[in-house]
Amino acid sequence: MLTAERGRVAWADVAKGMCILLVVLWHVLMKHYLQIDWHISGQVRGLWGTLGEQLLPLRMPLFFAVSGFFAVRAVQRPWPVVLRTRVAKFYYLYVVWLVIHTVVLAFVPDFGTERADGPLKFLAQLTITPSNLWYLYALALYFVIAKAARRVPAWAVLAPAFLLSAAASAGLLAVPGDRAGVYQNLVFFLAGLYGKSLIEDLAARASWRRLLLVGAPYAVLLAVIAAFDAKTWFGLWPVVSGVAIVLGVTAAGLVTRWEGLSNGLASIGSRTLPIYVMHMPLLALTHAVLIGPLSSAGPTAQWIVAIFEPVVLTAFLAWLCLFLYRYLPKALFELPSAPRAVRTVTRSSAAH
C-alpha cells in the first residue's frame, strides 16, 4: 500500500492493485458470501472458497515485499525522520481507522470480523493485539525494526524473522486477533528491503517460461498443504509464501506489457490505502442489507449470485472506496503536517 517515493514503478503498482483486490475478494467470500443461507448446490461456492484459499500465501506476503522494496531509502534516513514519516504516520492511520471501524461495526454486531466490544479490547487492539487493520500496525513496527537493524548483516535479520514466521504459522505462538499476520509477514517486508535488486530483476526479466516454472512448484506445494493439512508444518508456510512472491512479481511484470489491464490495475495499486481502510466497514454495512434478501432468494437468483456476486461486490467496494476517498478529509489518510517549528527541528536533526 506504499507508493513509490520518486515516481511510479509500473509493476509494483500492478502488484499492489492485484493484491488489494484479492484482499477485498477474500473478505467478501469469508465474511459475506459464505454466510448466505444457500438453497442450491455448494459446488460453485466451493470453487470460490478454494480459489480464495489458494491465494492466501500471495496476498499479504507480496504486499509486504513491495512495501519493503520501497522502504530502502526510508530506513537510511535519520531516526527523527523515520519516526515521523513512517512510524508515526502508519500508527496514526491505524488509530484513526480503528476508531472508525469500532464505531461502524458496533451497528452490525452479527458481521463476522474482529472488533473491539469494550474498552479493554479496544486498548488491546491499540497496543498488543491489532485489529483487521493490522497491515498499518505492522508497517509502523517493521520500520522500527528495519531502522534499528540497518547495520546488521541481512542474514542475521532474515533468519530470526523466518523463524518467527514459521513458528507463528505452525501454531507455536499465541496469536490472538490478527497478531499472526504481524508475526508471519516481517520476513517478507525484510526480504523486499534487502532483496530490492533481485525483485527489480525478477520484474524486468518476467517471462511466461518463468511464470510456468514457478507456478508449477507453487501448485504442488498448495496441493501438499491441502492433502496433508500441512499449513502448520514448521517452515512450510513462509516457503510457500516466498514462492508466491516470486510468482506474483513475475505476473505483475508480465501484466505491464498489456497497456489496458496494466493501467487499470496500476491505477488501483497507486491508491490502495483508501480501499484497505474503508472496504471492511462498507462490506459490513452491505452485508447487513443483502444477507436477508439473498438468503431468501429463489434458486435462479441464487445461482446468479453464487457465480457472479464475489467479483461484482469486490469491484463495487473498490470503486466505492475510491469514490468516497475523493470527498473525505485528507486527515483520514495522511498524518497532519507538523507545526513549522517542529519541521525546522526535524530538518536540523536530519542535517546532522
Side-chain angles (χ1 to χ4, degrees), residues 59-76:
R59 289 187 291 267
M60 297 313 295
L62 180 56
F63 244 138
F64 279 108
V66 175
S67 298
F69 175 89
F70 285 125
V72 175
R73 284 197 181 97
V75 299
Q76 294 172 349

Side-chain angles (χ1 to χ4, degrees), residues 77-132:
R77 295 169 179 165
W79 269 108
V81 178
V82 174
L83 289 175
R84 173 165 179 80
T85 63
R86 293 299 185 270
V87 180
K89 170 187 174 181
F90 290 117
Y91 191 68
Y92 164 81
L93 292 173
Y94 174 73
V95 172
V96 167
W97 283 97
L98 177 61
V99 172
I100 294 172
H101 278 217
T102 301
V103 172
V104 174
L105 292 174
F107 290 95
V108 280
D110 295 331
F111 184 69
T113 194
E114 282 290 319
R115 86 274 306 287
D117 52 8
L120 290 180
K121 189 166 184 179
F122 183 78
L123 179 61
Q125 289 187 340
L126 276 176
T127 53
I128 60 173
T129 306
S131 71
N132 53 46

Side-chain angles (χ1 to χ4, degrees), residues 1 15-16 18-27 29-30 48-66 134-135 185 188 218 237 241 244-245 248:
M1 294 157 205
K16 292 187 296 176
M18 292 190 301
C19 286
I20 194 62
L21 291 177
L22 291 176
V23 167
V24 177
L25 174 63
W26 174 248
H27 290 152
L29 290 173
M30 298 304 296
W48 274 117
T50 299
L51 175 64
E53 289 177 357
Q54 302 315 301
L55 295 170
L56 274 174
L58 173 67
R59 289 187 291 267
M60 297 313 295
L62 180 56
F63 244 138
F64 279 108
V66 175
W134 63 271
Y135 172 85
N185 288 282
F188 307 122
Y218 180 64
W237 189 254
S241 298
I245 289 172

